[in-house]
Amino acid sequence: MSLESRGNKAVAGNRILQFDILRCVAMLAVIALHVAAQNWEISFPSTNWTFSAIYDALVRWGVPVFFMISGALFLNLSRPLDVKRLYKKNVVRIVCAFLFWSALYALMNYHGVVSFFSDLIQGPVHFWFLKTLLGLYVVVPILRAVVNDRKTEEYFLIVAFLTTFIIPWLIALVGCADLKTMYFLNGNYNLFRLTLATGYTGYFVLGHYFCTYPVSARVRHFVYGAAVVSFICGIMGTILLSQHLHRPDITFLNELGIFTGFESAAIFLFVMEKGTHVPERHVPLLLRVSNLSFAIYLVHVGVIRMLRKVIDISDFSSSYFIPLFAIVVFVVSYLIARLVQLIPGLNKYVM
């Protein structure tokens, strides 16, 4: 069953408008998350840190939603998979983008030739997303075989739910009270080698599942309710646990934790359900921003670093500064992406 036949709103080029909406809001969420992370360690404990934790819990779903979009597209069986094209177009693009932008970030932090090449290979901290996405692209042919049968896909999601969102999260929670026990449990758990179904692969497959099979109103409402409870638990758990440990801790905000999992699923389902009501006059701008969402992701951390050189975040209250600063970073990153887009040849390989 094609995505379009599920009642999704298609625009020019058979694009699914809900995906464009999700890319835009997810990108803004990622930027807000990284803005909230500024001074995370040194501002604890304080009112500013508390607001940072609240915003952190509110937007943790950004990257998981990106993986769900990719899964919905790359695992769509109505679109034949050409493995050669997958590598020539998608894998090569990720590698080229990584090397180009990583080199620019390395030059921004230049401290010698050795450190430059070390930074180039490692990439800035947010480039973990590119490495993970690259790994998912490699296993796309395998995952398409998994999702070819609904019962097999559902079994995979159950295994992913247990091995990604439940067991590791519970083990990490134990570690907050007893590190020795956590190391013991984690070491034995890792012996099961369930790596294919763990990590962000679950989000990848879940995106396909939500876009392929009907989701009843009862299930959607359950997920929405669970997301609200998860948001509250994420905030309270983070604040109380951090106070208990006398240091900031993100165990309750982990992107591979159950709370963020429900929030990500809720955002995805909500936009897929309601995203057809966007006024036509807003669609062109939405598409332009969506088309540049990958480039915005690549440059936004550099924009944050540059703006921080002229703006002292500690001079402002996080209650209003985090969303305001996130919007500024989003706009500046978009403008930079638009400028890069005008350079012949670059937009095909590095954005």
Side-chain angles (χ1 to χ4, degrees):
M1 180 182 295
S2 68
L3 294 176
E4 292 80 0
S5 65
R6 284 288 314 282
N8 299 314
K9 186 173 182 179
V11 294
N14 290 324
R15 297 172 64 111
I16 303 301
L17 184 62
Q18 289 98 318
F19 290 165
D20 293 300
I21 297 172
L22 283 168
R23 288 189 189 97
C24 294
V25 296
M27 191 60 255
L28 184 57
V30 170
I31 292 175
L33 175 65
H34 290 157
V35 171
Q38 305 300 307
N39 296 338
W40 172 263
E41 298 285 344
I42 63 175
S43 65
F44 177 84
S46 67
T47 302
N48 273 346
W49 180 86
T50 301
F51 276 108
S52 294
I54 292 173
Y55 283 118
D56 192 315
L58 189 63
V59 297
R60 273 277 167 173
W61 46 266
V63 167
V65 165
F66 273 128
F67 285 123
M68 293 175 74
I69 297 169
S70 294
L73 291 171
F74 282 90
L75 301 182
N76 181 7
L77 300 181
S78 66
R79 300 177 180 179
L81 174 68
D82 184 337
V83 176
K84 184 177 180 180
R85 186 173 185 272
L86 173 70
Y87 273 82
K88 288 183 66 175
K89 180 182 178 181
N90 302 105
V91 172
V92 169
R93 180 192 178 201
I94 293 291
V95 172
C96 289
F98 181 96
L99 293 175
F100 177 83
W101 293 103
S102 183
L104 291 182
Y105 277 102
L107 287 173
M108 290 174 60
N109 193 40
Y110 186 78
H111 295 294
V113 176
V114 175
S115 66
F116 170 80
F117 282 103
S118 176
D119 291 342
L120 172 66
I121 295 172
Q122 182 176 348
V125 63
H126 66 302
F127 274 27
W128 70 268
F129 171 71
L130 276 70
K131 297 176 183 178
T132 305
L133 191 60
L134 185 63
L136 287 170
Y137 284 167
V138 170
V139 298
V140 158
I142 300 173
L143 295 178
R144 284 173 69 94
V146 170
V147 304
N148 189 50
D149 175 72
R150 180 172 182 174
K151 289 186 177 180
T152 303
E153 183 174 10
E154 290 173 345
Y155 176 77
F156 185 93
L157 287 172
I158 291 172
V159 173
F161 183 74
L162 292 174
T163 60
T164 297
F165 299 109
I166 300 297
I167 298 176
W169 184 79
L170 290 176
I171 292 175
L173 200 58
V174 169
C176 296
D178 186 350
L179 283 175
K180 186 176 180 180
T181 302
M182 183 195 74
Y183 292 141
F184 172 78
L185 293 174
N186 199 49
N188 282 278
Y189 173 68
N190 288 337
L191 292 177
F192 287 97
R193 311 296 183 188
L194 296 170
T195 52
L196 178 62
T198 56
Y200 292 92
T201 312
Y203 284 121
F204 204 73
V205 175
L206 186 62
H208 169 268
Y209 188 85
F210 280 159
C211 288
T212 304
Y213 304 108
V215 180
S216 67
R218 180 178 296 181
V219 171
R220 286 199 308 271
H221 293 157
F222 169 78
V223 173
Y224 296 157
V228 173
V229 173
S230 296
F231 171 61
I232 297 172
C233 290
I235 293 172
M236 298 306 299
T238 298
I239 293 174
L240 294 175
L241 182 58
S242 297
Q243 290 175 347
H244 172 70
L245 298 175
H246 303 290
R247 58 175 174 78
D249 186 275
I250 62 168
T251 298
F252 285 90
L253 301 179
N254 194 320
E255 287 165 340
L256 296 178
I258 187 171
F259 296 148
T260 303
F262 275 122
E263 291 178 26
S264 305
I267 293 293
F268 191 89
L269 284 175
F270 181 80
V271 174
M272 293 304 294
E273 179 189 5
K274 304 294 185 181
T276 58
H277 305 302
V278 176
E280 290 295 331
R281 65 180 181 276
H282 297 323
V283 171
L285 177 61
L286 185 68
L287 296 183
R288 286 198 296 270
V289 176
S290 174
N291 286 334
L292 292 174
S293 59
F294 183 57
I296 293 172
Y297 182 89
L298 294 170
V299 305
H300 80 276
V301 169
V303 172
I304 292 175
R305 292 178 183 176
M306 289 186 293
L307 291 178
R308 284 203 61 185
K309 291 181 179 180
V310 296
I311 301 175
D312 187 352
I313 294 178
S314 61
D315 289 342
F316 305 91
S317 170
S318 295
S319 61
Y320 66 85
F321 185 76
I322 289 176
L324 180 62
F325 194 55
I327 293 173
V328 171
V329 171
F330 187 92
V331 172
V332 173
S333 299
Y334 170 77
L335 293 176
I336 292 174
R338 287 280 287 175
L339 288 175
V340 176
Q341 189 180 41
L342 299 176
I343 303 176
L346 274 185
N347 60 341
K348 182 178 179 180
Y349 294 103
V350 303
M351 57 184 293

